[in-house]
Amino acid sequence: MIAKTPETPYYAVIFTTLRTDVDKGYLEMAEKMETLAKEQPGYLGIESARNDVGITVSYWRDLESIKTWKHQIDHAKARDLGRELWYAQYQLRICKVERDYGFNK
Amino acid sequence: MIAKTPETPYYAVIFTTLRTDVDKGYLEMAEKMETLAKEQPGYLGIESARNDVGITVSYWRDLESIKTWKHQIDHAKARDLGRELWYAQYQLRICKVERDYGFNK
């Protein structure tokens, strides 16, 4: 789904990943983290797709919300496992969304 | 591939889409636009994935580069066709990338 975000400005975290061939526990953890993210203060929405590369964009009210989510303990543990097992490479980008435009047929 | 972007700050355009069931001309145009984007001044890289939702993130040096690309004539024509034929819904977000972090096994 396309996230229903409020008026700008708000924040986006673009998480682009290349996976290893280790699948054990990955899907369960990805779902668990998405559920957990939705419970965090300042969470606005998420969009995700994967082919060769995976892109997950989560949207947040402000930098403080992103920082709180970064330090959430289960999320920190998942991140350690991610580096150990599931991700060969990733890039995480923290962005201020300055403008947006929608189209709906 | 994960885009190799320079030190922050730079800009990202997050283009999230839901497709119609019209495929005619879509893939050719998507490839043509990606090739054309790469020739634009200030272009830094692109990442793309699609499942139910499609996410394409293009990276740019500054807002001026994004504006020039927005008004590029073949791109403007492709956008009109996109709204007419290929996209049921989309959201385009213009973002300033303030910080980024990489991991590479």
Side-chain angles (χ1 to χ4, degrees), chain B residues 40-62:
Chain B
Q40 302 306 303
Y43 170 89
L44 299 176
I46 198 165
E47 296 164 348
S48 201
R50 170 173 302 282
N51 304 131
D52 300 335
V53 74
I55 306 174
T56 296
V57 188
S58 57
Y59 299 98
W60 302 87
R61 190 175 51 218
D62 48 31

PDB file of all heavy atoms in Angstrom, chain B residues 40-62:
ATOM      1  N   GLN B  40      20.884  13.365 -16.787  1.00  0.00           N
ATOM      2  CA  GLN B  40      20.536  14.705 -16.312  1.00  0.00           C
ATOM      3  C   GLN B  40      21.615  15.275 -15.386  1.00  0.00           C
ATOM      4  O   GLN B  40      22.256  14.520 -14.658  1.00  0.00           O
ATOM      5  CB  GLN B  40      19.205  14.678 -15.548  1.00  0.00           C
ATOM      6  CG  GLN B  40      18.033  14.159 -16.349  1.00  0.00           C
ATOM      7  CD  GLN B  40      17.835  14.890 -17.656  1.00  0.00           C
ATOM      8  OE1 GLN B  40      17.669  16.104 -17.665  1.00  0.00           O
ATOM      9  NE2 GLN B  40      17.879  14.169 -18.768  1.00  0.00           N
ATOM     10  N   PRO B  41      21.769  16.590 -15.385  1.00  0.00           N
ATOM     11  CA  PRO B  41      22.701  17.211 -14.446  1.00  0.00           C
ATOM     12  C   PRO B  41      22.241  16.982 -12.999  1.00  0.00           C
ATOM     13  O   PRO B  41      21.048  17.104 -12.706  1.00  0.00           O
ATOM     14  CB  PRO B  41      22.630  18.702 -14.799  1.00  0.00           C
ATOM     15  CG  PRO B  41      21.365  18.879 -15.571  1.00  0.00           C
ATOM     16  CD  PRO B  41      21.096  17.573 -16.252  1.00  0.00           C
ATOM     17  N   GLY B  42      23.184  16.629 -12.141  1.00  0.00           N
ATOM     18  CA  GLY B  42      22.858  16.459 -10.721  1.00  0.00           C
ATOM     19  C   GLY B  42      22.327  15.091 -10.349  1.00  0.00           C
ATOM     20  O   GLY B  42      22.039  14.844  -9.181  1.00  0.00           O
ATOM     21  N   TYR B  43      22.182  14.192 -11.347  1.00  0.00           N
ATOM     22  CA  TYR B  43      21.725  12.828 -11.052  1.00  0.00           C
ATOM     23  C   TYR B  43      22.779  12.078 -10.241  1.00  0.00           C
ATOM     24  O   TYR B  43      23.967  12.104 -10.583  1.00  0.00           O
ATOM     25  CB  TYR B  43      21.456  12.083 -12.362  1.00  0.00           C
ATOM     26  CG  TYR B  43      21.210  10.604 -12.194  1.00  0.00           C
ATOM     27  CD1 TYR B  43      19.922  10.113 -11.968  1.00  0.00           C
ATOM     28  CD2 TYR B  43      22.263   9.695 -12.257  1.00  0.00           C
ATOM     29  CE1 TYR B  43      19.701   8.748 -11.813  1.00  0.00           C
ATOM     30  CE2 TYR B  43      22.050   8.327 -12.100  1.00  0.00           C
ATOM     31  CZ  TYR B  43      20.764   7.873 -11.884  1.00  0.00           C
ATOM     32  OH  TYR B  43      20.552   6.528 -11.732  1.00  0.00           O
ATOM     33  N   LEU B  44      22.373  11.396  -9.170  1.00  0.00           N
ATOM     34  CA  LEU B  44      23.331  10.681  -8.320  1.00  0.00           C
ATOM     35  C   LEU B  44      23.142   9.170  -8.305  1.00  0.00           C
ATOM     36  O   LEU B  44      24.085   8.435  -8.008  1.00  0.00           O
ATOM     37  CB  LEU B  44      23.233  11.189  -6.878  1.00  0.00           C
ATOM     38  CG  LEU B  44      23.530  12.672  -6.642  1.00  0.00           C
ATOM     39  CD1 LEU B  44      23.287  13.016  -5.182  1.00  0.00           C
ATOM     40  CD2 LEU B  44      24.955  13.018  -7.046  1.00  0.00           C
ATOM     41  N   GLY B  45      21.902   8.705  -8.604  1.00  0.00           N
ATOM     42  CA  GLY B  45      21.687   7.261  -8.540  1.00  0.00           C
ATOM     43  C   GLY B  45      20.210   6.933  -8.455  1.00  0.00           C
ATOM     44  O   GLY B  45      19.369   7.827  -8.286  1.00  0.00           O
ATOM     45  N   ILE B  46      19.888   5.631  -8.582  1.00  0.00           N
ATOM     46  CA  ILE B  46      18.478   5.210  -8.539  1.00  0.00           C
ATOM     47  C   ILE B  46      18.387   3.819  -7.922  1.00  0.00           C
ATOM     48  O   ILE B  46      19.303   3.007  -8.064  1.00  0.00           O
ATOM     49  CB  ILE B  46      17.868   5.255  -9.966  1.00  0.00           C
ATOM     50  CG1 ILE B  46      16.341   5.254  -9.932  1.00  0.00           C
ATOM     51  CG2 ILE B  46      18.419   4.123 -10.831  1.00  0.00           C
ATOM     52  CD1 ILE B  46      15.713   5.666 -11.255  1.00  0.00           C
ATOM     53  N   GLU B  47      17.299   3.581  -7.211  1.00  0.00           N
ATOM     54  CA  GLU B  47      16.999   2.260  -6.647  1.00  0.00           C
ATOM     55  C   GLU B  47      15.531   1.967  -6.925  1.00  0.00           C
ATOM     56  O   GLU B  47      14.699   2.866  -6.807  1.00  0.00           O
ATOM     57  CB  GLU B  47      17.237   2.261  -5.135  1.00  0.00           C
ATOM     58  CG  GLU B  47      18.696   2.498  -4.754  1.00  0.00           C
ATOM     59  CD  GLU B  47      18.888   2.878  -3.302  1.00  0.00           C
ATOM     60  OE1 GLU B  47      17.896   3.184  -2.605  1.00  0.00           O
ATOM     61  OE2 GLU B  47      20.048   2.909  -2.869  1.00  0.00           O
ATOM     62  N   SER B  48      15.216   0.720  -7.255  1.00  0.00           N
ATOM     63  CA  SER B  48      13.855   0.423  -7.671  1.00  0.00           C
ATOM     64  C   SER B  48      13.466  -1.003  -7.322  1.00  0.00           C
ATOM     65  O   SER B  48      14.280  -1.920  -7.467  1.00  0.00           O
ATOM     66  CB  SER B  48      13.769   0.638  -9.191  1.00  0.00           C
ATOM     67  OG  SER B  48      12.454   0.845  -9.585  1.00  0.00           O
ATOM     68  N   ALA B  49      12.245  -1.194  -6.851  1.00  0.00           N
ATOM     69  CA  ALA B  49      11.714  -2.536  -6.573  1.00  0.00           C
ATOM     70  C   ALA B  49      10.199  -2.494  -6.702  1.00  0.00           C
ATOM     71  O   ALA B  49       9.576  -1.445  -6.478  1.00  0.00           O
ATOM     72  CB  ALA B  49      12.118  -3.000  -5.175  1.00  0.00           C
ATOM     73  N   ARG B  50       9.597  -3.625  -7.114  1.00  0.00           N
ATOM     74  CA  ARG B  50       8.138  -3.670  -7.208  1.00  0.00           C
ATOM     75  C   ARG B  50       7.604  -5.013  -6.771  1.00  0.00           C
ATOM     76  O   ARG B  50       8.093  -6.053  -7.199  1.00  0.00           O
ATOM     77  CB  ARG B  50       7.669  -3.393  -8.650  1.00  0.00           C
ATOM     78  CG  ARG B  50       6.158  -3.669  -8.846  1.00  0.00           C
ATOM     79  CD  ARG B  50       5.632  -3.250 -10.196  1.00  0.00           C
ATOM     80  NE  ARG B  50       5.842  -1.854 -10.464  1.00  0.00           N
ATOM     81  CZ  ARG B  50       5.089  -0.865  -9.950  1.00  0.00           C
ATOM     82  NH1 ARG B  50       4.085  -1.139  -9.151  1.00  0.00           N
ATOM     83  NH2 ARG B  50       5.364   0.378 -10.243  1.00  0.00           N
ATOM     84  N   ASN B  51       6.598  -5.010  -5.873  1.00  0.00           N
ATOM     85  CA  ASN B  51       5.728  -6.169  -5.653  1.00  0.00           C
ATOM     86  C   ASN B  51       4.308  -5.654  -5.890  1.00  0.00           C
ATOM     87  O   ASN B  51       4.024  -5.231  -7.009  1.00  0.00           O
ATOM     88  CB  ASN B  51       5.908  -6.762  -4.255  1.00  0.00           C
ATOM     89  CG  ASN B  51       7.373  -7.151  -3.967  1.00  0.00           C
ATOM     90  OD1 ASN B  51       7.909  -6.811  -2.941  1.00  0.00           O
ATOM     91  ND2 ASN B  51       8.012  -7.859  -4.881  1.00  0.00           N
ATOM     92  N   ASP B  52       3.466  -5.655  -4.865  1.00  0.00           N
ATOM     93  CA  ASP B  52       2.148  -5.026  -5.037  1.00  0.00           C
ATOM     94  C   ASP B  52       2.339  -3.545  -5.321  1.00  0.00           C
ATOM     95  O   ASP B  52       1.702  -2.964  -6.188  1.00  0.00           O
ATOM     96  CB  ASP B  52       1.308  -5.166  -3.757  1.00  0.00           C
ATOM     97  CG  ASP B  52       1.102  -6.615  -3.402  1.00  0.00           C
ATOM     98  OD1 ASP B  52       1.162  -7.462  -4.323  1.00  0.00           O
ATOM     99  OD2 ASP B  52       0.888  -6.916  -2.221  1.00  0.00           O
ATOM    100  N   VAL B  53       3.223  -2.963  -4.539  1.00  0.00           N
ATOM    101  CA  VAL B  53       3.545  -1.554  -4.678  1.00  0.00           C
ATOM    102  C   VAL B  53       4.923  -1.438  -5.339  1.00  0.00           C
ATOM    103  O   VAL B  53       5.768  -2.316  -5.176  1.00  0.00           O
ATOM    104  CB  VAL B  53       3.507  -0.884  -3.282  1.00  0.00           C
ATOM    105  CG1 VAL B  53       4.709  -1.256  -2.456  1.00  0.00           C
ATOM    106  CG2 VAL B  53       3.372   0.602  -3.365  1.00  0.00           C
ATOM    107  N   GLY B  54       5.105  -0.402  -6.122  1.00  0.00           N
ATOM    108  CA  GLY B  54       6.417  -0.141  -6.689  1.00  0.00           C
ATOM    109  C   GLY B  54       7.047   1.048  -5.987  1.00  0.00           C
ATOM    110  O   GLY B  54       6.359   2.021  -5.659  1.00  0.00           O
ATOM    111  N   ILE B  55       8.339   0.947  -5.701  1.00  0.00           N
ATOM    112  CA  ILE B  55       9.061   2.068  -5.082  1.00  0.00           C
ATOM    113  C   ILE B  55      10.298   2.351  -5.930  1.00  0.00           C
ATOM    114  O   ILE B  55      11.120   1.455  -6.136  1.00  0.00           O
ATOM    115  CB  ILE B  55       9.499   1.752  -3.636  1.00  0.00           C
ATOM    116  CG1 ILE B  55       8.309   1.309  -2.782  1.00  0.00           C
ATOM    117  CG2 ILE B  55      10.192   2.961  -3.010  1.00  0.00           C
ATOM    118  CD1 ILE B  55       8.695   0.852  -1.379  1.00  0.00           C
ATOM    119  N   THR B  56      10.398   3.555  -6.442  1.00  0.00           N
ATOM    120  CA  THR B  56      11.611   3.987  -7.129  1.00  0.00           C
ATOM    121  C   THR B  56      12.122   5.211  -6.399  1.00  0.00           C
ATOM    122  O   THR B  56      11.391   6.195  -6.221  1.00  0.00           O
ATOM    123  CB  THR B  56      11.324   4.337  -8.604  1.00  0.00           C
ATOM    124  OG1 THR B  56      10.898   3.146  -9.280  1.00  0.00           O
ATOM    125  CG2 THR B  56      12.578   4.865  -9.291  1.00  0.00           C
ATOM    126  N   VAL B  57      13.365   5.138  -5.952  1.00  0.00           N
ATOM    127  CA  VAL B  57      13.983   6.291  -5.300  1.00  0.00           C
ATOM    128  C   VAL B  57      15.125   6.773  -6.191  1.00  0.00           C
ATOM    129  O   VAL B  57      16.032   6.010  -6.515  1.00  0.00           O
ATOM    130  CB  VAL B  57      14.547   5.948  -3.902  1.00  0.00           C
ATOM    131  CG1 VAL B  57      15.007   7.218  -3.195  1.00  0.00           C
ATOM    132  CG2 VAL B  57      13.518   5.213  -3.067  1.00  0.00           C
ATOM    133  N   SER B  58      15.035   8.024  -6.633  1.00  0.00           N
ATOM    134  CA  SER B  58      16.154   8.606  -7.383  1.00  0.00           C
ATOM    135  C   SER B  58      16.819   9.662  -6.500  1.00  0.00           C
ATOM    136  O   SER B  58      16.166  10.312  -5.682  1.00  0.00           O
ATOM    137  CB  SER B  58      15.687   9.203  -8.708  1.00  0.00           C
ATOM    138  OG  SER B  58      14.686  10.166  -8.515  1.00  0.00           O
ATOM    139  N   TYR B  59      18.134   9.773  -6.665  1.00  0.00           N
ATOM    140  CA  TYR B  59      18.925  10.673  -5.821  1.00  0.00           C
ATOM    141  C   TYR B  59      19.514  11.788  -6.670  1.00  0.00           C
ATOM    142  O   TYR B  59      19.944  11.546  -7.818  1.00  0.00           O
ATOM    143  CB  TYR B  59      20.032   9.890  -5.114  1.00  0.00           C
ATOM    144  CG  TYR B  59      19.480   8.813  -4.202  1.00  0.00           C
ATOM    145  CD1 TYR B  59      19.405   7.492  -4.621  1.00  0.00           C
ATOM    146  CD2 TYR B  59      18.988   9.142  -2.944  1.00  0.00           C
ATOM    147  CE1 TYR B  59      18.869   6.507  -3.792  1.00  0.00           C
ATOM    148  CE2 TYR B  59      18.449   8.175  -2.111  1.00  0.00           C
ATOM    149  CZ  TYR B  59      18.398   6.852  -2.539  1.00  0.00           C
ATOM    150  OH  TYR B  59      17.859   5.892  -1.718  1.00  0.00           O
ATOM    151  N   TRP B  60      19.538  12.990  -6.105  1.00  0.00           N
ATOM    152  CA  TRP B  60      19.908  14.193  -6.846  1.00  0.00           C
ATOM    153  C   TRP B  60      20.764  15.113  -5.981  1.00  0.00           C
ATOM    154  O   TRP B  60      20.650  15.118  -4.760  1.00  0.00           O
ATOM    155  CB  TRP B  60      18.635  14.940  -7.279  1.00  0.00           C
ATOM    156  CG  TRP B  60      17.754  14.069  -8.122  1.00  0.00           C
ATOM    157  CD1 TRP B  60      16.788  13.195  -7.677  1.00  0.00           C
ATOM    158  CD2 TRP B  60      17.789  13.927  -9.547  1.00  0.00           C
ATOM    159  NE1 TRP B  60      16.228  12.535  -8.740  1.00  0.00           N
ATOM    160  CE2 TRP B  60      16.814  12.962  -9.909  1.00  0.00           C
ATOM    161  CE3 TRP B  60      18.554  14.528 -10.559  1.00  0.00           C
ATOM    162  CZ2 TRP B  60      16.585  12.586 -11.237  1.00  0.00           C
ATOM    163  CZ3 TRP B  60      18.314  14.150 -11.880  1.00  0.00           C
ATOM    164  CH2 TRP B  60      17.343  13.197 -12.209  1.00  0.00           C
ATOM    165  N   ARG B  61      21.572  15.920  -6.652  1.00  0.00           N
ATOM    166  CA  ARG B  61      22.495  16.806  -5.950  1.00  0.00           C
ATOM    167  C   ARG B  61      21.762  17.893  -5.173  1.00  0.00           C
ATOM    168  O   ARG B  61      22.128  18.248  -4.062  1.00  0.00           O
ATOM    169  CB  ARG B  61      23.444  17.445  -6.964  1.00  0.00           C
ATOM    170  CG  ARG B  61      24.611  18.194  -6.386  1.00  0.00           C
ATOM    171  CD  ARG B  61      25.539  18.662  -7.492  1.00  0.00           C
ATOM    172  NE  ARG B  61      24.796  19.380  -8.536  1.00  0.00           N
ATOM    173  CZ  ARG B  61      25.057  19.299  -9.856  1.00  0.00           C
ATOM    174  NH1 ARG B  61      26.030  18.541 -10.296  1.00  0.00           N
ATOM    175  NH2 ARG B  61      24.348  19.984 -10.720  1.00  0.00           N
ATOM    176  N   ASP B  62      20.690  18.442  -5.798  1.00  0.00           N
ATOM    177  CA  ASP B  62      19.992  19.577  -5.171  1.00  0.00           C
ATOM    178  C   ASP B  62      18.587  19.713  -5.767  1.00  0.00           C
ATOM    179  O   ASP B  62      18.209  18.987  -6.690  1.00  0.00           O
ATOM    180  CB  ASP B  62      20.796  20.873  -5.375  1.00  0.00           C
ATOM    181  CG  ASP B  62      21.238  21.056  -6.818  1.00  0.00           C
ATOM    182  OD1 ASP B  62      20.517  20.589  -7.727  1.00  0.00           O
ATOM    183  OD2 ASP B  62      22.300  21.659  -7.044  1.00  0.00           O
TER     184      ASP B  62
END
